[in-house]
Amino acid sequence: MKKITVLGATGSIGVNTLDVLARQQANEWQVYALTAFGQVAKLAEQCLAHRPAYAWVGSAEKAQELTQLLRSQGSKTEVLHSPADLCRLCDAPEVDAVMAAIVGAAGLPPSLAAAQAGKRLLLANKEALVVGGDLFMQAVRDNGAQLLPIDSEHSAIFQSLPDDPARWQTDVEKIILTASGGPFRQRNPKTLGQVTPEEAVAHPNWVMGRKISVDSATMMNKALEVIEAHYLFGFAPEQIEVIIHPQSVIHSMVQYRDTSVVAQLGTPDMRVPIALGLSWPGRTSSGAAPLDFKALQAMSFEEADALRFPGLQLAWAALRGEAGSTCVLNAANEVAVDAFLKRQLPFDQIYRVNAATLGGLQPGRISHIEDLLALDQEARAFALGQIAAAVTQAA
Ligand code: NDP
Ligand code: MG
């Protein structure tokens, strides 16, 4: 039996992963470890259902709470909570695969540990790659890890590219990432300052965690995905395009030198890329409903409006900037989205904080992952300063 660690098990991707795992043959996968940050009751339920050897939570208090809950139900799952333990659950010799589904840069150390140990790494945690960049990809290559993209667009690109990576640079003209346009595709841009967290997290096509839902509403999610595509597949920034496709049926496309376009289609259900990550190079059941072409009727496309979605362009600005710029952009965005969700920053100011931090902070020399982790902290502090200034100005 193959053993898997699911990081971020209590989140949207984590829950979908456990659903797909439960659909596989009983003797195929064994859950080695499940992790969460603070949702103890939900993690306890998952531990009782999947019987992992280990569970991990973000503090000693939460660990004690979880241990008590599990012991009262007769569960033997061992509970851990230190950052070093989180990495150990990813690089332990028994582990075959890791689902990286923590949200934000917090997921970088354990994802990197899995890459450095040469595991099969199912990467949903795009922020880890946006922060880690080339150093992360180097660790994947040096240690023979199998990196399988879970982000639906990148799974689509992966499926649409030639099997032989040597042909990616010779045969491909560009890659085209599709975007739904989120909940504000048709909203008057002048009213974006009044958007509430409830409106921003109500995505038309996908049910996701709060942070990525806000990112979809600003289209910073697509900006992060442009950066993710650059690092994953090695295409130059100018070879990556974005097109709005409100139906979310085409998950992304590859255009070849001869103008031929290869796309991957399906219903918007994250269990499809998750199932592929588990079964690649084979296929397995995902539980998703197949596309009904007769009900679909039409597919439409439109350009992303730069006035409504100014954040999208920051992807190319960061990719053309110094090494570490994508780390700076990600840190600013995490801090700005958090402030928006806490009702401390208006929705339309997220872009201003991101742009000001990207433009205002010099990354310095980046040689090691530790340099990026330090830069991440520095950029967070810078962005918090920008938020404080924006709030003072508004008052
Ligand atoms: P959720 O917010 O639903 O879940 C996040 C998970 O991470 C939870 O298990 C949470 O624990 C845990 N977590 C949060 N903070 C920390 C931390 N500091 N340390 C350790 N664990 C932590 O997010 P999603 O599932 O929506 O997204 C996860 C990742 O996948 C993101 O990077 C996102 O961009 C990416 N992704 C998601 C898609 C989706 O459809 N949801 C699609 C494509 C990519 P707890 O519940 O206890 O707080
Ligand atoms: Mg995506």
Side-chain angles (χ1 to χ4, degrees), residues 156-240:
I157 298 290
F158 181 70
Q159 293 173 68
S160 304
L161 283 168
D163 287 341
D164 178 4
R167 304 215 74 86
W168 295 358
Q169 286 305 324
T170 55
D171 295 4
V172 174
E173 184 76 30
K174 62 182 177 185
I175 60 178
I176 305 164
L177 300 179
T178 53
S180 69
F184 307 136
R185 184 171 63 90
Q186 291 171 321
R187 185 171 168 139
N188 179 352
K190 289 192 185 127
T191 67
L192 288 175
Q194 286 100 58
V195 163
T196 64
E198 292 72 27
E199 287 174 309
V201 301
H203 196 278
N205 303 348
W206 300 91
V207 181
M208 308 181 287
R210 284 163 68 78
K211 193 260 178 183
I212 185 177
S213 297
V214 175
D215 285 347
S216 298
T218 57
M219 275 190 88
M220 263 310 290
N221 181 50
K222 212 50 55 178
L224 297 174
E225 290 182 355
V226 167
I227 297 168
E228 182 185 11
H230 165 76
Y231 289 129
L232 273 176
F233 305 118
F235 292 106
E238 49 278 8
Q239 283 180 291
I240 307 171

Side-chain angles (χ1 to χ4, degrees), residues 126 151-153 221 225:
K126 66 193 83 184
D151 216 344
S152 58
E153 295 77 3
N221 181 50
E225 290 182 355

